[in-house]
Amino acid sequence: KLGEQKHSKEPSSSQCMHLAVVACGDRLEETLIMLKSAVLFSNRRLCFHIFAEDSLKPEFEKKLKEWPSSYTKKFEYNIYPITFSVGNAQEWKKLFKPCAAQRLFLPVILKDVDSLLYVDTDVLFLRPIDDIWHILKEFNSTQLAAMAPEHEIPKIGWYSRFARHPYYGTTGVNSGVMLMNLTRIRNTQFKNSMIPSGLTWEEMLYPLYQKYKNYITWGDQDLLNIIFYFNPECLYVFPCQWNYRPDHCMYGSNCKGAEEEGVSILHGNRGVYHDDKQPTFKALYEVIRDFPFEDNLFQSLYYPLQSKFLDTVHTLCGRIPQVFLKQIEKTMKKVYENRVIVYLGANHRY
């Protein structure tokens, strides 16, 4: 069933920005906070594609219904079961984290969706999705997906030091934030290390996994790295501020884009929202989680965030608060201005 907003008079799903996420195990809250950050700041209508274990579906529906109508009218959603179209479902399920491999099958399952943004559950948007969605227009004629590098510095990069399989570029790519033109993916014959001719995306997945399964550590992300190693012309690489992880500050600041523009998308991998190793990441997660939807953004989100950050200055990530705050402050100013203009216009006061 399409989500509760189906009756809305908003544009149809073809004009949506499509966002996909895969949630299994204990990832319900994290996923909801990610969706909340998307809805808080985005301008255009959103279509959420939530892939979840059957046991989580009622919970998702219950929680999303509780959101105020001023926000629920900004999106529609669909909840799908976890399915794998080729190979052994149990094998795919166990690859790296539960269900993570589901993202490899999005082009096959979402046949009517042209483009989408896939994110891990532990992602937070600090600016409108509209801004990363625009990157689709920057693709050249051969590019069909976009990701950020896994590392900025090869000498501390995981792939450049430890990988036992082919990977993209000098440091590999991180698949936690992945922009995909599904139409192009479905229509492309991919070069591969198995047969001399090209294979479709679906034909390639299981043989590729069989060939490399004893060498991969990070599951589906490794498979994506292998695919784009053989097809580098298919990948657009966007800068690190669109997928900012603890690695970008825990050894010292090494994401130039975030230093200049601020973090656009925060990716709290390594479980940092739930332990005390990176309190800066945890502070952002908790402030967005606790923000009452219809409150004032500055009062109930930005100021609490600033005060929480004061407690993190003993960490390397906490020493660069402007990197975390710059973009979110800019975004909130825009949201606030838009609301004031819309409010005044609606009331014909001036």
Side-chain angles (χ1 to χ4, degrees):
K1 111 185 151 53
L2 205 56
E4 309 309 314
Q5 284 65 45
K6 207 173 175 188
H7 60 273
S8 163
K9 290 178 186 163
E10 295 282 338
S12 70
S13 66
S14 62
Q15 292 168 286
C16 268
M17 297 182 294
H18 293 268
L19 180 69
V21 64
V22 180
C24 284
D26 58 0
R27 299 296 181 123
L28 177 84
E29 184 195 71
E30 219 174 62
T31 308
L32 286 162
I33 309 308
M34 179 278 289
L35 297 173
K36 183 179 182 181
S37 72
V39 172
L40 277 180
F41 300 132
S42 289
N43 303 315
R44 260 175 71 191
R45 184 163 178 73
L46 292 159
C47 286
F48 295 146
H49 301 275
I50 302 164
F51 290 82
E53 289 171 308
D54 295 343
S55 58
L56 294 179
K57 185 178 176 178
E59 274 301 293
F60 269 116
E61 295 190 324
K62 178 173 168 278
K63 296 285 184 194
L64 290 169
K65 270 183 191 157
E66 289 168 5
W67 290 7
S69 63
S70 56
Y71 285 93
T72 57
K73 71 179 186 204
K74 289 174 71 177
F75 68 89
E76 55 191 59
Y77 69 91
N78 209 343
I79 301 174
Y80 308 80
I82 303 292
T83 51
F84 303 99
S85 62
V86 289
N88 180 322
Q90 287 315 310
E91 244 182 319
W92 283 121
K93 255 187 186 167
K94 288 195 284 250
L95 183 62
F96 188 45
K97 285 182 183 162
C99 310
Q102 180 71 75
R103 90 177 97 189
L104 296 171
F105 294 87
L106 296 177
V108 182
I109 298 165
L110 300 174
K111 286 186 164 61
D112 299 329
V113 176
D114 174 61
S115 296
L116 68 75
L117 177 65
Y118 164 87
V119 293
D120 285 349
T121 59
D122 52 10
V123 153
L124 292 170
F125 294 95
L126 306 187
R127 69 191 281 182
I129 290 186
D130 310 58
D131 297 339
I132 191 168
W133 195 254
H134 289 315
I135 291 176
L136 286 164
K137 291 193 170 73
E138 295 176 23
F139 283 14
N140 68 23
S141 60
T142 60
Q143 289 164 338
L144 45 75
M147 288 184 270
E150 173 65 21
H151 272 279
E152 305 311 301
I153 303 164
K155 68 170 188 274
I156 59 168
W158 194 91
Y159 285 110
S160 37
R161 290 184 298 160
F162 306 119
R164 294 157 63 210
H165 59 77
Y167 57 89
Y168 178 88
T170 52
T171 58
V173 279
N174 182 283
S175 58
V177 179
M178 185 176 179
L179 203 53
M180 306 161 87
N181 183 320
L182 300 184
T183 305
R184 286 188 180 182
I185 291 173
R186 287 187 284 263
N187 293 337
T188 297
Q189 295 280 321
F190 291 88
K191 297 190 288 293
N192 60 85
S193 58
M194 293 158 301
I195 61 167
S197 59
L199 289 169
T200 67
W201 185 265
E202 193 176 13
E203 287 168 343
M204 174 175 60
L205 288 178
Y206 195 60
L208 202 64
Y209 166 64
Q210 288 296 340
K211 178 168 181 174
Y212 291 104
K213 67 179 177 183
N214 296 326
Y215 305 101
I216 58 180
T217 306
W218 307 113
D220 50 309
Q221 176 171 296
D222 289 348
L223 286 176
L224 290 164
N225 266 285
I226 295 164
I227 290 168
F228 290 112
Y229 169 84
F230 290 107
N231 301 271
E233 72 289 352
C234 293
L235 191 66
Y236 177 108
V237 179
F238 50 66
C240 47
Q241 66 266 32
W242 293 104
N243 185 349
Y244 190 91
R245 284 155 278 132
D247 302 64
H248 288 121
C249 55
M250 62 195 273
Y251 310 112
S253 183
N254 63 32
C255 174
K256 291 278 180 287
E259 286 170 22
E260 288 159 19
E261 288 182 26
V263 174
S264 296
I265 295 179
L266 193 76
H267 184 181
N269 62 348
R270 305 173 180 267
V272 293
Y273 297 148
H274 313 292
D275 61 29
D276 297 313
K277 289 181 184 154
Q278 296 300 337
T280 326
F281 282 75
K282 191 179 184 183
L284 264 155
Y285 179 79
E286 288 177 347
V287 164
I288 292 174
R289 179 193 68 195
D290 299 340
F291 172 69
F293 266 106
E294 293 182 299
D295 271 26
N296 177 292
L297 280 164
F298 279 100
Q299 222 171 325
S300 304
L301 200 148
Y302 190 68
Y303 298 136
L305 195 54
Q306 280 186 312
S307 60
K308 271 183 185 269
F309 273 8
L310 292 174
D311 301 330
T312 73
V313 290
H314 61 287
T315 67
L316 279 169
C317 294
R319 284 181 201 167
I320 47 170
Q322 71 287 356
V323 165
F324 295 89
L325 292 170
K326 192 182 281 188
Q327 198 55 246
I328 199 168
E329 183 182 8
K330 209 162 132 184
T331 299
M332 285 194 294
K333 277 184 178 151
K334 270 190 198 154
V335 171
Y336 181 70
E337 281 162 15
N338 288 347
R339 282 196 193 150
V340 169
I341 291 160
V342 167
Y343 174 77
L344 291 176
N347 287 279
H348 303 294
R349 294 248 177 115
Y350 298 95

